[in-house]
Every structure is written in structure tokens, then in C-alpha cells.
Amino acid sequence: MKFGTKAIHAGVHPDPSTGAIMTPIFQTSTYVQEGIGKHKGYEYARTQNPTRTALENNIAALEGAQFGLCFASGMAAIDAVLKLLSAGDEIIACNDLYGGTYRIITKVFQQFGIKAHFLDMNQPAEVERFINPNTKLIWLETPTNPLLNLIDIEAISLIAQKNDLLLCVDNTFATPCLQNPLLWGADIVMHSATKYLSGHSDVVMGALVTNKPELHQKLAFIQNACGAVPSPNDCFLVLRGIKTLHIRMERHGQNGKAVAEFLQQHPKVDRVYWIGLPTHTNHAIALKQMQGFGGMVSFTLKNDQMDEAKKVMESLKIFALGESLGGVESLCTHPATMTHASIPKEQRDKTGLKDTLIRLSVGIEDAEDLIEDLKQAIG
Ligand code: P1T
């Protein structure tokens, strides 16, 4: 089955009791059991819920995985992966990544005795240099948030396999439509389903998928034991969102290209970060492991002053100023004060995340209108 067909059909079945074609919202906390130990596979809604099961199976199918699990947020999904570790274990993570991921590793798990190294993963030799007997997990995002760096998943997975480490890839920016990290050797794929999977900026949710039964069991145990599960209503919304994922991603990619090319030729714009530009440092990695380039575009201005960047961000009319990404509507984010404020400035400076960087989540409106908006805002 091809991707679009899977997006619409995988994991979902007409409701056996009514024939309803759309998966019902099973708004229940418990299930009546016929006798002690006699039930229909559903006991308590933290542990299982049929709306959630449909979504978990759908996301798993899109990633080419056997198993899927959904969580109350992307952060709850990340939390579950990190809970696979024990005190004394070490993580190697990419150095450009969502601020919340950096924060949970350094501010929450560090106090439980877990140590992390944040590295430029375009130097696989550098990754090997930091591996020691305590290393247990490699965490990467590709494309990264917000600098749109690309990391060769296969190259890193070879290192992970050689050293018996888990590799988890945050696939939020690419979505399963553009990239399937399991195919390149990842053990776990993580999503903030809040973003493109939901696609309409009306849900907060996370997801994990894997092909390894043992790993799935451990993560399912954590999901149930810790309890950060999404509501059935939110599962319904994400299932509905995913039905148009392939169509939306096509348009995000077309609009991303139009916006990136417009910015690239603008005399006041300095650097443009979009993975589809042949001038992108690692464009070849996108060609190797992705089926498209998406709608995330970051840029800086030649007049590299905060006042200038602020003026542009506050003058945009169609691009709404705010955190998040991946919705049908265009958004403009200021990473230094919003999504990445929890990464200390010295660390941001080291990875090249300037205070003046502007991040765009290019939506699926008409590209001409988006370009007009940028034109009037940049001046
Ligand atoms: O917001 P939540 O659903 O908990 O997901 C966290 C998360 C994880 N991974 C990546 C790559 C992310 O971008 C995010 C959330 N990011 C934003 C809110 C943002 O605007 O970048």
C-alpha cells in the first residue's frame, strides 16, 4: 500500500457495532468486563483505548513500524524514551535541537544521574569519540530545530549498532511522509504529533514507534505506569489530520520552496536555511534519506540587529507570531526567546543559533500571499 492510502486507511476499521466509517471517540474511562479476567482486550482507558489504538496503529504503519504508542505531548513521548535509562547512563544528542528536549535532558534527567553530550552529528567520528561503556542512547533530530541541519541517519545508526546503543530519531520536522528513520537503522522514531501529524494547531500530542517487540513492551509499560496518555478526543483529531498529511506536505514543500527562493534573492536577507536549497550544506543528505523538503524555513537579515529582526517578525500579517509549527496556517517564531529560550545563550551561540534568527513554519495558504506578506514586512 502506498503512503496516501495508508494515511487514510491504516489502523482504522468501520465500527463493528454500527458500521460508522470514522473511528468513534471512545470517551470512556473503563470497560465492563464479563467476568474476572474476561474482557474484550480493553480494561482501563489509561492502558488501552480503541480510538488511541487506531491512531497508534496508523502512525506505526506510516513509519513502517510494527508498534506505535501515543502520549499526551511530544515531551511526554521523549520522557518515556529517557525513562529507559538508569542513573549513570549517558546520552549523546545532536547539538541543535528543540529547546524542550535540551531542557528535559539537562534539567530533569541530569538530576537523576543521567549525563548528556551535545555534539555536531555531521562528524560521525566525533560521535564515536564520546562513546564510553556508560553510553546507552543516541538522540537526534533531522532536520534540526531551528537551524535545519541534516544528519545522516544511516551513518549514525551504524555507530549505534556497532556499540550496542539505542538510536532514537525525532522525526517531527520531516514527518513519516518525507522520511522514515527506521529504514535507515533507527530503533525508535519520536514525533511531536502536535505539529504536522495533527496539522491544524488544535492538539498537543506525542508518538513513538518501533519495530522491536521488547523495546515496545518497555515503552508501553512506561506509557501505562507513568500515565501521560492522550485523550480519545485528541486521538480522533490527529487521526483525522493524518488523512490529509500527504496532500498537506506536498503543499508545505511547494510553499517552502517559493518562500526560501524569495528570501534567498532578497537584498536584505543574509542566510536562508531550507533543506531543499542546493546551497544547503548537507542538501545531499536530504536527497539520500528524504522524499521532499517540507515547509520549515529559517533566515537572518544582513542588518543583523535585534531591532530589525523584531520589526520584521512584528510586521508580518499572515504569518502569525507564535510558538509551534506544522499547522495549515503559517507561523513565525523567534527561537531565542520562544522555543529555544531554555538553551543557555552560550550554548546557542556555539551551535550558531543567533538571537536574530527568524523561523517560519510555511503553511498551505497561497504562496503569492505569503511572499507579499514577507515583502511588506522585510521592506
Ligand atoms: O510540544 P510537544 O508536542 O510536547 O513536542 C515537543 C517537541 C519535540 N520535538 C520537536 C522537534 C519539537 O519541535 C517539539 C515542539 N516544538 C515547538 C513547540 C516549536 O515551536 O518548535
Side-chain angles (χ1 to χ4, degrees):
M1 222 187 261
K2 292 234 159 74
F3 190 89
T5 315
K6 274 200 249 178
I8 294 164
H9 295 288
V12 301
H13 309 284
D15 176 46
S17 61
T18 61
I21 191 161
M22 286 300 134
T23 308
I25 302 168
F26 285 91
Q27 193 74 44
T28 187
S29 61
T30 192
Y31 310 87
V32 178
Q33 307 192 13
E34 289 158 41
I36 305 295
K38 268 180 82 183
H39 53 76
K40 299 179 167 65
Y42 291 91
E43 296 144 280
Y44 184 61
R46 169 163 34 76
T47 323
Q48 316 102 338
N49 178 282
T51 320
R52 193 173 93 212
T53 306
L55 176 63
E56 290 176 336
N57 290 340
N58 179 268
I59 297 175
L62 296 185
E63 282 289 10
Q66 261 183 286
F67 308 105
L69 293 168
C70 288
F71 293 83
S73 66
M75 290 317 304
I78 295 172
D79 181 59
V81 175
L82 297 177
K83 283 175 176 157
L84 294 169
L85 305 178
S86 307
D89 288 350
E90 295 190 13
I91 306 170
I92 296 178
C94 56
N95 59 1
D96 183 44
L97 79 178
Y98 173 56
T101 311
Y102 180 89
R103 180 175 55 198
I104 193 172
I105 292 174
T106 56
K107 295 274 163 60
V108 179
F109 280 86
Q110 199 159 293
Q111 68 179 354
F112 296 125
I114 287 161
K115 191 171 159 188
H117 307 275
F118 295 91
L119 308 179
D120 173 0
M121 292 218 179
N122 280 307
Q123 314 292 337
E126 192 60 359
V127 175
E128 293 219 78
R129 208 162 67 77
F130 278 84
I131 294 174
N132 65 47
N134 295 328
T135 314
K136 295 286 155 47
L137 172 70
I138 300 185
W139 184 280
L140 67 87
E141 275 178 24
T142 180
T144 62
N145 181 3
L147 288 172
L148 285 314
N149 287 319
L150 290 162
I151 297 166
D152 185 333
I153 302 169
E154 187 182 32
I156 302 296
S157 87
L158 290 173
I159 295 172
Q161 280 159 27
K162 197 169 97 189
N163 293 281
D164 204 17
L165 309 178
L166 279 180
L167 172 62
C168 182
V169 176
D170 181 337
N171 205 26
T172 300
F173 270 33
T175 83
C177 186
L178 304 186
Q179 177 173 275
N180 299 120
L182 296 181
L183 290 180
W184 299 102
D187 299 295
I188 307 170
V189 174
M190 177 263 151
H191 282 281
S192 167
T194 314
K195 312 297 171 354
Y196 289 104
L197 295 183
S198 141
H200 296 75
S201 305
D202 48 13
V203 175
V204 172
M205 197 189 291
L208 298 175
V209 304
T210 181
N211 265 325
K212 304 205 159 148
E214 230 177 84
L215 202 46
H216 169 68
Q217 272 164 21
K218 283 186 190 166
L219 292 166
F221 175 83
I222 293 167
Q223 182 198 42
N224 183 49
C226 300
V229 292
S231 76
N233 193 62
D234 284 352
C235 292
F236 175 88
L237 286 173
V238 176
L239 259 179
R240 184 165 76 164
I242 288 175
K243 289 182 196 296
T244 55
L245 178 65
H246 51 303
I247 305 292
R248 287 187 282 109
M249 289 316 288
E250 200 176 315
R251 181 68 167 250
H252 281 297
Q254 288 163 2
N255 285 358
K257 180 175 197 293
V259 163
E261 286 174 352
F262 164 76
L263 290 172
Q264 206 179 30
Q265 57 73 49
H266 197 291
K268 289 190 178 172
V269 170
D270 185 24
R271 280 198 67 172
V272 179
Y273 304 78
W274 183 62
I275 60 169
L277 289 173
T279 49
H280 185 289
T281 329
N282 286 311
H283 182 59
I285 297 178
L287 294 177
K288 173 187 171 186
Q289 68 191 22
M290 299 182 73
Q291 286 94 51
F293 309 120
M296 294 305 296
V297 181
S298 295
F299 69 102
T300 51
L301 298 168
K302 282 198 178 128
N303 184 355
D304 193 23
Q305 300 301 315
M306 199 49 229
D307 282 358
E308 280 298 307
K310 189 167 181 277
K311 201 171 83 197
V312 170
M313 289 185 275
E314 291 179 349
S315 306
L316 287 163
K317 294 191 168 72
I318 297 176
F319 284 86
L321 185 63
E323 307 202 17
S324 204
L325 60 113
V328 289
E329 69 293 314
S330 292
L331 281 178
C332 169
T333 300
H334 180 225
T337 58
M338 298 180 182
T339 52
H340 293 71
S342 51
I343 302 181
K345 183 168 163 49
E346 320 83 72
Q347 182 72 18
R348 295 201 307 262
D349 287 346
K350 263 200 249 164
T351 58
L353 200 183
K354 286 184 170 189
D355 284 356
T356 48
L357 186 85
I358 301 171
R359 191 191 78 182
L360 302 177
S361 170
V362 181
I364 63 168
E365 302 95 334
D366 290 296
E368 294 82 351
D369 292 327
L370 299 180
I371 287 168
E372 273 311 308
D373 194 25
L374 286 162
K375 218 182 255 176
Q376 64 78 26
I378 299 170

